Amino acid sequence: MSDLVQVSKDGEIGILTVNNPPVNALSPGVPEGILEGVEQFEKDDSVKAIVLIGGGRTFIAGADIREFGKITAGGDQRRGPGFNAILNRVENASKPVVAAIHGTALGGGLETAMACHYRVAVPSAQVGQPEVKLGIIPGAGGTQRLPRLAGIQKAVEMCAGGDPISAGEALKYGIVDKIIEGDLLAGAVSFAREKAGSPPRRTRDLTDKLGTAEANGPIFAAACDATKKRQRNLVAPLAAIDAVEAATQLPFDKGIERERELFQQCLFSDQSKALIHVFFGEREVAKIPGISKDTAQIPVGQAAVVGAGTMGGGIAMVFANAGIPVLLKETDQAALDRGLATIKKNYANSVAKGRFTQQQMDERMARITPTLTYDGFGDRDMVIEAVFEGMALKKQIFGELDKVMKPGAILASNTSTLNIDEIASATTRPEMVIGTHFFSPANVMRLLELVRGKATSKEVIATCMSLSKKLGKVGVLVGNCRGFVGNRMFHPYRREAQFLVEEGASVEAVDQALYHFGMAMGPLATGDLAGLDVGWRIRKEFGDARNTTVRQPLIEDRLCEEGHYGQKTKSGWYKYDENRKPLHSEDADRIIAQARKDANIQQRSISSDEIVERIIYSLVNEGARILEEGIALRAVDIDIIYLNGYGFPAYRGGPMWYADTVGLKKVCERVLDFEKQHGATWAPAPLLKRLAEEGKTFADFDKQVAQGAAAAEARS
Ligand code: 3H9
């Protein structure tokens, strides 16, 4: 018997315990072990029913995603009877099999549970078919068994949406038969005793929830419409709806065949490869060379935020949401009141939308203590400064914090562009200083760039990495340079969008091309949303690089000079109606035409392909520089930043992964073309050039980094 599934008995109940840490994924040997155990208990006359349970922290979290790359179009050749056949065999067992669920039963895990005859779960358990988040659909009967248990509406929602549901909801929909309070195994064994001797109830035989064609038609149509809006350009959710529809039209085995066909189409798609890259990427970014589980961490039980503006208020909400009490400081009462009123309004909106209850809102508000002084800061484990983006002010505040914060407290700055080492120089403890760059709105956006200064200690980094997870964020460690990773790359991205308009593309054509590529929003509309005046003021303050020979965008400064700051003034690249709907702007037309004339730029017709190449490859080229300079640890770190902070479509895997899929040789050739046409800003990054010449990818670069880190660890 495989070690991955252990066999034991409690009287006349056979127990199979899956033991494949950390999440009991269905790696080779696990399904086979389950089958072997079921067959062994079938032969054992003393056994009357069987319980299948997960060892460790969870039931089965699904197929082993790392194995997907080994599946070929001909099927999963390595695996004897195949997973579907194994589940059929479990379902056909002569003795009742009860799945006992704690933690999560996801994907193939839920499919395994549904092939059992009954399911019991602890109240905290969750079940789901999250495959669409990996660009695939359930491939082991999920789309056929779930509608038989839960009905069409719920099955479509779960298979096409991918979000898990609680054990309580699963009970309501018939996915789970009983909630077990207290010890799960004892409860499951006693439930199995009740079923012992009765004929197994096979999910495949249940048909009363499959509905009628008349009732189901509108459900499928509405699901397709909603999917096209909410999961724009994604293939798998529509395939999942097709597969559930097959359950209503075909006998069970034929439905399984149809599901398999659709599963394979999705699995071999670029979207699935990209989304699987993202799944592992989100976990990879947590791995920092030189920092391990043993690195000491600083307990953050209480925090403080300086500045109650949009960012500071949002950050205070993030801490309050995670159950961490936070002091929120402003310099004058009016600003503090405004900040608190915004927080209250945001929370009230969430209550109105049903995201949480009034009581939860009250609890969260109670965790935020407004203040005009540093009183109480001395007890706090961490402070985040979120004031106006100016070095002098930041240094002044860090000098003050250095005096009031206790030894060992983390001093963080929410700066989005400034030099963290210079900020740290205002303190006597630069090792405790780190950049925590939240994205706006801070309580919504998942990205948290953690900026490592020269002196930042490993303990501070390790603490902030795990704190990110606690705060519901994806923390990505970056190095110190102007704009760090995200904003540094965003600069050429938005610059190219403006150049394209100067050269003849319309504002709408630029934004539409990027929207169709999959970006949440076009780059010019994004500028209007963020406020064109922000960059304008910084350029005026710092002089930027206006006097160099490098081409600089012309239009945004002129828009700002005339007061067109974007959405906040209802006019920028677009003009906006009272509902903030963007409309074509004649003012922008006039300014654009004048800028073209002044710079003597001949207008030309520009294809949407060129628009996408110019804008996306500008990201890739800067990303390659950032990588080579070590500002980002890996290409995948850049991808995760762009997916979570800048609206890059997850199904394209991030800018660096996308470049790999295009081919770095082709990307580099286009960059060289652009250099010829547009000058020095397009000089190819040396790393891009080298990888292209060697026929390699950014993923190869990451592999080398991982090997180097492993070798360094082995030496230490
Ligand atoms: C599927 O089932 C298809 C079927 O229809 C069958 C078709 C034939 N495989 O997230 P964590 C690793 S598709 C391989 O940090 P948590 C993960 O990479 C699958 N590895 O823990 C990490 O490794 P490392 C459907 C996996 O407690 C470690 O486990 N299922 C898998 O925060 C810990 O993970 C899903 O999509 C896997 N399936 O969250 C569920 N899952 O330490 C995917 C995890 O080296 N998993 N790992 O970085 C999850 O959503 C979360 O991992 C879970 C635990 C909620 C379970």
Side-chain angles (χ1 to χ4, degrees):
M1 190 70 208
S2 137
D3 284 350
L4 296 169
V5 181
Q6 283 151 0
V7 175
S8 58
K9 281 205 270 186
D10 181 340
E12 74 285 23
I13 305 301
I15 300 167
L16 297 175
T17 308
V18 180
N19 182 25
N20 186 23
V23 295
N24 290 327
L26 292 157
S27 316
V30 174
E32 292 79 359
I34 294 172
L35 178 60
E36 223 179 297
V38 168
E39 287 178 339
Q40 184 178 320
F41 286 139
E42 277 192 299
K43 286 186 211 131
D44 183 341
D45 288 340
S46 70
V47 171
K48 303 291 180 224
I50 302 164
V51 168
L52 173 66
I53 193 165
R57 61 169 145 142
T58 184
F59 188 69
I60 298 167
D64 186 337
I65 303 166
R66 289 186 199 277
E67 293 288 310
F68 283 170
K70 298 177 191 157
I71 301 178
T72 63
D76 187 354
Q77 303 297 354
R78 299 157 305 113
R79 290 217 189 164
F83 188 36
N84 262 318
I86 288 177
L87 293 188
N88 283 342
R89 186 60 200 84
V90 170
E91 192 171 44
N92 286 330
S94 54
K95 298 173 183 175
V97 184
V98 179
I101 303 170
H102 71 300
T104 50
L106 297 176
L110 179 56
E111 289 171 309
T112 304
M114 291 192 296
C116 296
H117 306 113
Y118 302 97
R119 286 147 297 279
V120 297
V122 293
S124 59
Q126 293 204 314
V127 304
Q129 298 286 175
E131 286 87 344
V132 288
K133 303 203 170 179
L134 300 169
I136 54 172
I137 66 164
T143 63
Q144 307 301 299
R145 289 193 178 91
L146 189 56
R148 285 169 162 80
L149 290 173
I152 303 305
Q153 178 84 50
K154 196 69 192 164
V156 164
E157 196 183 301
M158 288 175 69
C159 292
D163 291 330
I165 60 170
S166 67
E169 203 178 345
L171 178 73
K172 184 173 141 203
Y173 283 96
I175 303 167
V176 158
D177 298 291
K178 189 175 181 188
I179 301 287
I180 306 283
E181 306 280 353
D183 186 71
L184 175 63
L185 181 59
V189 165
S190 115
F191 183 91
R193 277 200 182 105
E194 285 168 28
K195 300 296 171 190
S198 54
R201 182 194 64 182
R202 304 189 317 167
T203 308
R204 64 159 64 210
D205 297 336
L206 307 173
T207 52
D208 57 328
K209 287 193 178 171
L210 288 179
T212 61
E214 297 74 52
N216 292 337
I219 298 177
F220 292 124
C224 285
D225 283 352
T227 296
K228 283 178 193 156
K229 279 191 205 115
R230 272 190 233 129
Q231 292 149 289
R232 191 164 58 92
N233 298 349
L234 280 171
V235 173
L238 293 173
I241 297 170
D242 273 3
V244 174
E245 193 165 14
T248 67
Q249 295 167 337
L250 301 171
F252 183 80
D253 289 322
K254 290 280 171 212
I256 289 277
E257 276 173 31
R258 177 76 186 126
E259 178 194 80
R260 192 77 200 163
E261 241 170 62
L262 290 162
F263 169 79
Q264 295 227 345
Q265 279 168 19
C266 291
L267 183 63
F268 301 126
S269 68
D270 284 345
Q271 291 197 351
S272 165
K273 291 188 186 97
L275 288 164
I276 289 173
H277 161 74
V278 173
F279 175 84
F280 287 117
E282 286 202 350
R283 284 144 185 92
E284 193 63 23
V285 295
K287 294 169 190 157
I288 315 288
I291 291 180
S292 71
K293 284 193 194 91
D294 304 330
T295 308
Q297 294 199 17
I298 300 155
V300 179
Q302 300 197 87
V305 174
V306 181
T310 312
M311 287 313 293
I315 296 168
M317 288 172 78
V318 171
F319 278 86
N321 295 348
I324 301 175
V326 63
L327 287 169
L328 181 60
K329 180 182 178 301
E330 253 305 340
T331 40
D332 70 86
Q333 191 64 46
L336 192 56
D337 291 346
R338 265 199 311 276
L340 273 182
T342 307
I343 293 173
K344 223 177 205 162
K345 197 175 94 198
N346 288 339
Y347 275 144
N349 276 343
S350 297
V351 172
K353 285 183 185 148
R355 292 208 186 104
F356 46 77
T357 62
Q358 181 64 44
Q359 190 194 337
Q360 282 167 319
M361 164 172 165
D362 296 343
E363 284 163 8
R364 289 169 197 216
M365 280 304 295
R367 287 188 200 116
I368 301 175
T369 308
T371 175
L372 292 172
T373 70
Y374 282 120
D375 288 353
F377 272 55
D379 299 334
R380 302 282 146 157
D381 307 305
M382 177 172 188
V383 59
I384 298 103
E385 162 278 310
V387 302
F388 174 75
E389 192 75 348
M391 183 55 87
L393 180 60
K394 301 231 181 224
K395 282 173 89 168
Q396 178 205 319
I397 287 174
F398 270 76
E400 291 164 8
L401 291 173
D402 193 34
K403 293 198 182 79
V404 298
M405 299 299 291
K406 67 183 175 188
I410 298 174
L411 313 184
S413 170
N414 183 52
T415 178
S416 55
T417 48
L418 299 177
N419 185 336
I420 196 73
D421 289 328
E422 196 178 338
I423 295 174
S425 72
T427 73
T428 55
R429 38 177 149 169
E431 71 285 358
M432 301 311 293
V433 177
I434 189 167
T436 48
H437 179 205
F438 288 83
F439 286 69
S440 183
N443 53 317
V444 176
M445 298 294 283
R446 279 185 81 215
L447 180 61
L448 181 53
E449 263 186 336
L450 297 173
V451 189
R452 174 184 215 157
K454 262 201 251 99
T456 312
S457 77
K458 284 183 181 176
E459 290 73 20
V460 168
I461 294 171
T463 303
C464 289
M465 287 303 297
S466 45
L467 182 67
S468 308
K469 202 167 176 188
K470 190 167 178 199
L471 298 179
K473 306 287 171 202
V474 188
V476 185
L477 186 68
V478 300
N480 184 25
C481 67
R482 185 160 174 197
F484 317 124
V485 171
N487 282 346
R488 175 166 156 188
M489 285 168 68
F490 204 51
H491 183 70
Y493 172 85
R494 292 208 65 254
R495 179 198 67 205
E496 287 307 309
Q498 296 172 62
F499 284 167
L500 285 157
V501 173
E502 288 175 14
E503 290 164 32
S506 71
V507 171
E508 287 83 357
V510 170
D511 277 351
Q512 281 298 316
L514 271 292
Y515 181 75
H516 287 308
F517 173 80
M519 298 298 296
M521 213 180 200
L524 302 171
T526 307
D528 274 359
L529 177 68
L532 303 178
D533 56 319
V534 181
W536 178 53
R537 285 182 214 286
I538 293 174
R539 285 192 293 278
K540 279 204 298 188
E541 189 178 332
F542 293 100
D544 209 14
R546 295 277 122 178
N547 298 326
T548 71
T549 51
V550 179
R551 178 179 171 189
Q552 298 293 334
L554 305 169
I555 300 165
E556 284 194 355
D557 283 358
R558 295 185 181 197
L559 284 168
C560 289
E561 278 154 20
E562 289 194 19
H564 306 291
Y565 294 169
Q567 287 200 16
K568 63 176 88 161
T569 55
K570 294 200 168 152
S571 171
W573 288 100
Y574 298 87
K575 65 182 178 194
Y576 294 87
D577 68 11
E578 52 292 346
N579 300 318
R580 300 208 161 196
K581 187 175 170 217
L583 303 166
H584 186 81
S585 161
E586 295 74 24
D587 282 324
D589 275 351
R590 176 178 46 76
I591 291 169
I592 292 164
Q594 190 61 47
R596 283 176 186 151
K597 198 166 158 215
D598 293 349
N600 202 14
I601 298 171
Q602 288 303 314
Q603 210 176 329
R604 65 186 175 95
S605 138
I606 304 175
S607 71
S608 51
D609 283 351
E610 182 182 339
I611 293 174
V612 169
E613 283 181 332
R614 282 270 295 276
I615 294 179
I616 299 295
Y617 294 173
S618 73
L619 276 182
V620 175
N621 201 31
E622 194 62 31
R625 286 183 204 285
I626 282 174
L627 209 49
E628 193 153 40
E629 289 168 25
I631 296 292
L633 283 169
R634 293 153 289 230
V636 68
D637 293 41
I638 297 177
D639 286 337
I640 297 303
I641 287 175
Y642 261 76
L643 300 175
N644 290 290
Y646 294 85
F648 201 94
Y651 63 83
R652 294 203 190 264
M656 311 313 271
W657 179 264
Y658 173 70
D660 278 355
T661 62
V662 173
L664 296 192
K665 187 166 174 290
K666 185 171 166 209
V667 173
C668 191
E669 277 165 10
R670 290 300 282 149
V671 169
L672 287 162
D673 288 345
F674 295 146
E675 186 188 22
K676 270 192 216 120
Q677 292 160 25
H678 307 289
T681 49
W682 274 102
L687 178 65
L688 174 64
K689 227 170 151 186
R690 199 178 76 229
L691 293 174
E693 280 162 9
E694 291 171 358
K696 290 196 173 144
T697 59
F698 289 120
D700 292 328
F701 177 89
D702 280 4
K703 269 185 219 142
Q704 258 177 5
V705 172
Q707 282 160 4
E713 202 169 313
R715 277 195 304 274
S716 70

